[in-house]
Amino acid sequence: MSSITADTIPPNKGATNAAIMIAAPLVLLGVCLLSKMGIIVVPSGARGLIIAGLLISLFITGMPISIALGLSVLTFMFTMTDVPIVAVSLKLFTGIEKFEIMSIPFFILAGNFLTRGGVAKRMIYFATTLIGHWYGGLGLAGVVSCALFAAISGSSVATVVAIGSILLPAMVKQGYPKRFGAGVIATSGALGILFPPSINLVIYSVATSGMSVIGPDGRSVSSASIGQLFIAGIVPGICLATLLGAMTFYQAYKNDYPRMERASWGERGKAFLDSFWGLFLIVIVIGGIYAGLFTPTEAAAMAAVYAFFVSVFVYKDLKLSDVPTVLLNSAAMSAMILYIVTNAVLFSFLMVSEQIPQGMADWMSNQGFGIISFLLVCNLILLAAGNVMDPAAIVLIFAPILFPVAARLGVNPVHFGIMMAVNMEIGLCHPPVGLNLYVASGIAKMGISELTLAVLPWLLTMIGFLVVITYWPGLTLFFPRLLGM
Amino acid sequence: MFLRILDRLEEIIISLLIGGATVLIFVAVLHRYGSTVPFLFPYLHDIDMTWAQELCIYMFVWMAKFGAAYGVRQGVHVGVDVLVNRLGINHRFKVILFGLMAGAVFTGIIATLGASFVWDLSETDSRSNDLEAPKWIVYLAIPLGSGLMCFRFLQVAWTFWRTGDVPHASHHVDGIDEDVPALHPQGGLPAHQGIKA
């Protein structure tokens, strides 16, 4: 439905809707101000609802998410609490004054260097020599190279761009239908969120850290660390990659898509050595964090320096004169995410001071909600949110709300984080705002509605996998436990 | 002329901050492991790098504040534009303008609050933990960054008012042809850009 372009809508359509969209936040703001002045009395139970209403009404005007969050918090603080409003501006600084958060810009920078630095094409070549001779060879190679690239870049859009822009034209040339190729790449690219290093897992850890939450037995539950989440993401990531690969194979087998010639072991070895520099980054980041050599932020900084070194001096695909552009783009992207982080920190500060998560947790345990129904509700909420919002914002807004409830019901924090990540992956792959789809449609030059159909088999695979991840915590947790984390 | 200098300055500052912070942490890690090597120990032992972490945080906070302003100009701030894009062009215009003005109002308020906060702080002797830098200089990022961001929102709103164009971040990345049409096929508020989690 998003493929309807602006021109097909009559220019005067939606007069009432537009009026409502502008009036709703203003009316709610008015209510808040009147209650501040003591003209009307807002029962304390309704305060949360008014703020939630204000937030949602601001969201649907399409203004930046960070601004909508900030304005709601500001309104709330000013009209309904005695918290000095100067504290808000201070919180905008102190909210991101954590060293863990600083791994986000570093990972983004590393990802940008890798995307432009020729790492992707070497990985694709390596994957093609490995499994190109199977049914759907290039498609399978796409899944594998997406998984490999995801394991060094931390971002799923970067993965789609880096792999898709090289592999899609090659697949079309080989005689694959375009929609097959675009479907494989758009969905496999989403592995970036699950495979460590993942910016989204960092955000989850940051968003839930420092919250005091209580488990079902009354003892406090510590939130998941970045290192734990990274290690826990590996096994589900490999499982999902395998499933996507199996779906690719099945489709190719059914339709008898072309296969590549089998590569010799010599070629494989050569391709491995050539892509080794890129692959070694996995060892630096994951190994470095797990062995305790670096903190996650330090590992991210090392990854950025290493990616710069490899792109400019080893592969020489990036010119030194391009480096300022990479820096500038990374800075803009990081600033956008950090700006949402600051405002979301404000928002969760509000949630906690109003004790909304605790209230929800109490209500849920009183209603006799079990883990099963709670997790189902979580998934539905997150999938619905994935329809309209960007993954980083979803995690920042929903993790502080849902995590305390989950902990109260006895859900493991690490498991919950990975479940959220799989949800975000699905959100990236379906319209209307699935970012991967937009990127893939740009590369494949296909319309969004056509691409939506193209990704369907893989999307269903992912939804099936989500059910497994949700109700089988062991799959996520056994690997970190094996390593004693 | 003044605007062009401001634009360039903004870009240079945030690029230098992200690059500088990366080098800083890299050097700090090298230093930590370098000091364990007996040969290098005498040279490195006396250099104190404990402030690196704090400086890195401050550099990134400054980068985030100014980068957010740059982001307004580039249209990287994402919103929920599904509903807006279903409105006819005339009404969409009003809602988008409302959103941009709300952005200007919020950042304006924050800049004012931040300025008064920093003013009060400058009369105290509060200093940061490791660098021992005066706190008011560190926190100057809030009024300056938010003020600039407010200015950028007004600038974008003004351009939008006159021409009907908002900056759109393209998914501009190497490997995608220049002629690819807008990837977010709608108008409306800025689309996503580049690398994202």
Side-chain angles (χ1 to χ4, degrees):
Chain A
M1 52 187 178
S2 293
S3 55
I4 305 167
T5 47
D7 312 304
T8 62
I9 305 173
N12 279 319
K13 187 178 168 254
T16 335
N17 288 348
I20 294 174
M21 278 158 108
I22 295 179
L26 293 177
V27 167
L28 286 166
L29 177 66
V31 170
C32 292
L33 287 175
L34 288 175
S35 85
K36 165 85 172 173
M37 290 184 286
I39 297 172
I40 54 170
V41 181
V42 177
S44 67
R47 304 194 318 174
L49 284 180
I50 289 181
I51 290 308
L54 183 61
L55 183 65
I56 292 169
S57 66
L58 289 174
F59 272 161
I60 62 179
T61 63
M63 71 173 62
I65 289 172
S66 42
I67 300 294
L69 282 166
L71 276 173
S72 316
V73 175
L74 209 56
T75 310
F76 181 79
M77 296 283 183
F78 181 62
T79 59
M80 296 183 181
T81 64
D82 299 325
V83 179
I85 199 154
V86 168
V88 176
S89 68
L90 180 63
K91 200 87 184 150
L92 276 182
F93 194 106
T94 55
I96 54 169
E97 236 183 345
K98 285 188 200 140
F99 195 53
E100 292 75 44
I101 299 181
M102 302 312 160
S103 62
I104 297 171
F106 285 140
F107 278 132
I108 289 176
L109 184 59
N112 268 334
F113 275 125
L114 291 171
T115 309
R116 303 181 54 150
V119 177
K121 67 180 180 203
R122 291 170 173 85
M123 283 188 168
I124 293 171
Y125 183 62
F126 174 51
T128 313
T129 59
L130 276 186
I131 51 174
H133 57 285
W134 292 359
Y135 277 101
L138 276 185
L140 286 178
V143 176
V144 172
S145 40
C146 277
L148 289 176
F149 198 81
I152 58 173
S153 86
S155 149
S156 96
V157 173
T159 311
V160 175
V161 171
I163 304 294
S165 54
I166 301 171
L167 200 59
L168 268 177
M171 286 178 84
V172 174
K173 209 184 284 171
Q174 283 264 326
Y176 289 89
K178 225 185 211 177
R179 47 189 292 176
F180 176 75
V184 173
I185 301 297
T187 45
S188 307
L191 288 169
I193 286 188
L194 203 49
F195 265 108
S198 149
I199 294 166
N200 264 62
L201 290 178
V202 173
I203 291 177
Y204 172 79
S205 173
V206 166
T208 57
S209 73
M211 300 186 78
S212 58
V213 292
I214 298 162
D217 51 358
R219 279 187 297 179
S220 73
V221 177
S222 59
S223 57
S225 74
I226 297 176
Q228 282 172 327
L229 288 164
F230 276 10
I231 298 293
I234 295 175
V235 173
I238 292 173
C239 290
L240 183 56
T242 313
L243 287 175
L244 292 175
M247 178 48 87
T248 311
F249 182 84
Y250 171 71
Q251 297 257 321
Y253 178 77
K254 205 174 60 177
N255 298 315
D256 199 20
Y257 289 149
R259 302 154 72 164
M260 310 276 291
E261 255 173 62
R262 182 189 287 271
S264 72
W265 281 104
E267 283 167 317
R268 287 175 189 171
K270 195 171 160 297
F272 173 74
L273 284 183
D274 203 27
S275 62
F276 175 77
W277 287 96
L279 294 171
F280 190 63
L281 198 60
I282 308 177
V283 180
I284 295 184
V285 175
I286 306 304
I289 296 173
Y290 176 64
L293 293 176
F294 318 121
T295 64
T297 308
E298 285 170 349
M302 301 305 272
V305 173
Y306 180 84
F308 161 76
F309 179 76
V310 169
S311 309
V312 175
F313 297 111
V314 182
Y315 290 156
K316 299 193 177 111
D317 281 13
L318 188 72
K319 289 195 289 288
L320 258 181
S321 57
D322 293 331
V323 171
T325 322
V326 175
L327 286 176
L328 185 60
N329 288 340
S330 312
M333 211 57 246
S334 318
M336 193 279 288
I337 294 186
L338 290 179
Y339 202 70
I340 303 182
V341 172
T342 39
N343 288 295
V345 166
L346 271 182
F347 182 70
S348 71
F349 173 62
L350 180 156
M351 302 295 287
V352 172
S353 78
E354 277 295 287
Q355 304 203 320
I356 289 171
Q358 288 89 331
M360 267 175 68
D362 288 341
W363 183 80
M364 285 211 160
S365 46
N366 289 341
Q367 295 290 313
F369 259 84
I371 289 187
I372 293 182
S373 40
F374 169 71
L375 290 180
L376 181 68
V377 172
C378 279
N379 278 324
L380 293 178
I381 292 174
L382 293 171
L383 287 176
N387 279 315
V388 289
M389 275 200 283
D390 164 80
I394 298 178
V395 174
L396 280 164
I397 294 169
F398 285 99
I401 302 176
L402 297 175
F403 170 63
V405 187
R408 172 78 66 88
L409 292 171
V411 180
N412 185 293
V414 177
H415 170 219
F416 196 67
I418 299 296
M419 190 196 91
M420 281 191 89
V422 178
N423 261 301
M424 299 304 104
E425 291 194 326
I426 295 173
L428 280 173
C429 298
H430 71 87
V433 294
L435 198 47
N436 282 10
L437 285 187
Y438 288 101
V439 178
S441 87
I443 299 170
K445 305 203 168 55
M446 284 166 71
I448 288 294
S449 19
E450 195 188 351
L451 201 57
T452 307
L453 286 177
V455 299
L456 208 56
W458 291 274
L459 195 60
L460 291 175
T461 315
M462 284 170 108
I463 291 175
F465 181 69
L466 175 63
V467 176
V468 175
I469 274 292
T470 306
Y471 293 113
W472 185 18
L475 182 66
T476 311
L477 297 176
F478 96 92
F479 193 55
R481 280 186 186 144
L482 197 70
L483 295 176
M485 293 181 86
Chain B
M1 186 60 204
F2 168 72
L3 273 181
R4 222 184 300 150
I5 294 175
L6 186 68
D7 288 358
R8 284 300 291 162
L9 202 63
E10 199 178 61
E11 290 165 12
I12 291 171
I13 287 176
I14 60 176
S15 303
L16 284 181
L17 284 173
I18 194 172
T22 314
V23 173
L24 176 70
I25 293 302
F26 181 67
V27 170
V29 172
L30 284 190
H31 170 264
R32 194 173 74 216
Y33 285 101
S35 331
T36 60
V37 179
F39 168 70
L40 294 170
F41 181 79
Y43 305 98
L44 296 175
H45 178 64
D46 293 332
I47 309 171
D48 178 31
M49 292 289 287
T50 46
W51 45 268
Q53 198 158 317
E54 193 181 83
L55 181 58
C56 167
I57 292 173
Y58 290 159
M59 286 171 91
F60 271 150
V61 174
W62 278 73
M63 182 205 77
K65 298 299 167 201
F66 286 92
Y70 172 77
V72 173
R73 181 152 64 89
Q74 297 291 317
V76 298
H77 292 280
V78 294
V80 181
D81 50 9
V82 184
L83 286 170
V84 181
N85 291 322
R86 306 184 125 208
L87 298 176
I89 187 95
N90 293 344
H91 300 293
R92 195 182 327 146
F93 183 84
K94 294 175 202 156
V95 178
I96 290 174
L97 202 59
F98 174 75
L100 290 173
M101 292 317 287
V105 167
F106 174 70
T107 48
I109 293 175
I110 294 297
T112 320
L113 290 175
S116 86
F117 176 75
V118 167
W119 184 259
D120 292 344
L121 204 63
S122 69
E123 289 170 356
T124 66
D125 194 32
S126 162
R127 282 169 184 275
S128 72
N129 296 333
D130 297 331
L131 288 170
E132 293 176 13
K135 274 248 160 141
W136 70 272
I137 294 185
V138 173
Y139 286 155
L140 210 53
I142 301 171
L144 290 182
S146 294
L148 186 59
M149 207 171 162
C150 178
F151 173 70
R152 292 300 186 195
F153 267 118
L154 291 173
Q155 204 183 9
V156 170
W158 174 245
T159 318
F160 181 61
W161 174 262
R162 284 184 28 208
T163 65
D165 288 330
V166 272
H168 268 263
S170 58
H171 300 269
H172 182 79
V173 195
D174 273 5
I176 301 183
D177 300 345
E178 292 286 338
D179 62 330
V180 174
L183 290 164
H184 232 283
Q186 315 103 328
L189 270 190
H192 319 266
Q193 182 204 34
I195 297 222
K196 188 92 58 71

